[in-house]
Amino acid sequence: MSLMTDVPAFLGRASGGARWRPVSTPPPALLTGRRSSARELRLRHFDGTGAELPLPSWAKHAQFELQALVDLPDRWDGRRAQQVAPRAVEAVIEVLADVMADVTVLPQYFPLPDGGIQVEWHAGEHDVEIEFDSEGSAHLLMNERGHDDVEVDVPAGEFGRLVEQLRPGLHRLTRRVTAAP
Amino acid sequence: MTAGEQPPPSRPADDDPRITDTEALCRRLSDSSPNMLVRDEVSGERRPSSAAFKPDADGISVYRLDVLTGSGLGPADLCTRDAQLVVTVQTADVRSQGLGVRPDPWPLDVDDPGHPRHAAHALIIGFATLSRGERRRRQQSLTRCTSLRFVHGLLSD
């Protein structure tokens, strides 16, 4: 079962889509994930021509962390928790592909009992949490001293507004971490 | 209440007042498979992720510490495997968020329904009418309340 839409469709959104810009220029860098077996997550990185590139370090980290979540069984909380849903994983990758750079502080990943995933960054008085539900919708909460609280709620596949808010917030959070003694 | 002071948020209708504000509620989580503790990149502090307090359809599963100890049990008896931790929060902090607590003894949808710890099972309630953002803010508040304590596991006080 593939985790991501096929590459041409992804190319269309990244290069010509009205909602968001590719992370790196030029050429656009794309990430797609594909499950080679029922439970294995494998991320692959392509440029705008379809040539495969090495995975960025943040994507290697994401692959490792998300694999651990994908491997959780039903009832991992001893009660009703469901296995992490493929659409949640896809949504996480799609958002991170548009905001992460090699220097960005790595996020932390947590399973949710309804099959979703929560992705978080915490640095002093700066907190960023994104809840992805099992259908791939995303909800961002960002609290930062000196800035208004940010809340963005978007359906699956329509992450433009969320990315617009998230990208500068992560940039400031990364600066806060690198500046810390 | 003085002028300008906000009234306390109203509690859910099925909040049980027999569970006193000073009663401690135990929540089991794990620090591996899965790890449910976040780490602050600046302070190094570790605390539960708000994901660990996401409610099910009926609420957040907790155990009343007083009922546990009354049965000769303790927080350690909530753990079913290594790498599990237990934190407590005070009922007052739950209610200050406009949430409530009600007993839910002997739930059936658990791995070991006959274990005596389940006599202490309860639910933090009041999420059903909240928006997604309101629900998540309550979850965040629960992880940051001043009464939160690690009582069993790696980070026990």
Side-chain angles (χ1 to χ4, degrees):
Chain A
M1 176 181 171
S2 68
L3 286 176
M4 295 293 291
T5 56
D6 57 271
V7 172
F10 204 68
L11 262 171
R13 286 206 296 273
S15 62
R19 294 193 176 93
W20 33 282
R21 295 178 286 108
V23 172
S24 61
T25 55
L30 306 173
L31 273 175
T32 186
R34 189 168 297 276
R35 272 207 285 220
S36 56
S37 66
R39 300 202 61 78
E40 181 184 352
L41 170 66
R42 192 159 70 98
L43 300 185
R44 301 175 68 189
H45 185 201
F46 300 94
D47 68 12
T49 70
E52 190 160 6
L53 302 172
L55 276 184
S57 56
W58 69 263
K60 293 179 185 175
H61 176 262
Q63 180 171 270
F64 178 82
E65 295 291 326
L66 291 171
Q67 181 69 67
L69 300 191
V70 167
D71 287 345
L72 291 172
D74 275 332
R75 301 173 63 89
W76 52 260
D77 64 346
R79 205 175 172 218
R80 302 173 183 169
Q82 300 171 24
Q83 288 186 301
V84 165
R87 286 189 182 181
V89 178
E90 288 177 14
V92 167
I93 295 169
E94 190 168 340
V95 168
L96 294 185
D98 218 31
V99 298
M100 293 296 291
D102 284 343
V103 298
T104 312
V105 173
L106 295 174
Q108 300 171 63
Y109 302 84
F110 302 93
L112 296 171
D114 59 355
I117 297 171
Q118 185 156 302
V119 182
E120 307 183 31
W121 296 258
H122 299 277
E125 294 175 310
H126 193 158
D127 301 288
V128 180
E129 299 185 12
I130 312 174
E131 178 187 87
F132 295 89
D133 72 6
S134 59
E135 296 298 315
S137 79
H139 184 269
L140 166 67
L141 286 179
M142 193 155 59
N143 315 106
E144 181 184 2
R145 183 167 60 101
H147 292 80
D148 292 336
D149 289 352
V150 172
E151 177 180 351
V152 181
D153 195 357
V154 294
E158 298 182 23
F159 301 127
R161 282 193 303 117
L162 185 148
V163 167
E164 281 176 12
Q165 296 290 328
L166 177 61
R167 191 182 290 123
L170 281 187
H171 180 65
R172 292 192 299 272
L173 185 143
T174 297
R175 284 199 323 212
R176 179 187 292 265
V177 172
T178 54
Chain B
M1 194 166 62
T2 58
E5 191 174 308
Q6 295 291 329
S10 57
R11 300 178 190 177
D14 46 353
D15 172 72
D16 192 331
R18 292 173 296 177
I19 300 175
T20 65
D21 281 353
T22 58
E23 194 165 332
L25 305 172
C26 301
R27 176 72 173 163
R28 183 183 70 198
L29 49 145
S30 55
D31 70 352
S32 75
S33 302
N35 171 36
M36 299 304 288
L37 300 180
V38 293
R39 180 191 65 255
D40 188 291
E41 300 290 347
V42 171
S43 69
E45 177 198 10
R46 295 180 73 192
R47 56 178 165 78
S49 163
S50 65
F53 284 85
K54 181 168 186 182
D56 291 323
D58 55 357
I60 298 175
S61 177
V62 293
Y63 291 81
R64 299 167 62 187
L65 184 58
D66 288 354
V67 177
L68 280 176
T69 55
S71 303
L73 303 174
D77 294 293
L78 298 182
C79 298
T80 58
R81 59 179 176 88
D82 293 340
Q84 285 183 336
L85 314 170
V86 179
V87 297
T88 57
V89 296
Q90 203 172 55
T91 299
D93 275 336
V94 171
R95 288 176 171 149
S96 72
Q97 302 297 321
L99 303 172
V101 187
R102 69 169 180 85
D104 184 51
W106 307 112
L108 297 177
D109 56 348
V110 292
D111 291 339
D112 49 355
H115 194 288
R117 64 172 164 259
H118 296 308
H121 188 256
L123 292 168
I124 296 177
I125 57 174
F127 295 94
T129 58
L130 301 179
S131 68
R132 191 174 189 181
E134 290 169 340
R135 169 185 52 81
R136 293 191 63 208
R137 288 189 182 88
R138 301 297 195 284
Q139 291 172 229
Q140 289 178 331
S141 294
L142 289 173
T143 68
R144 295 164 186 170
C145 60
T146 55
S147 67
L148 188 139
R149 296 284 185 273
F150 286 86
V151 295
H152 176 78
L154 186 65
L155 300 179
S156 295
D157 291 341

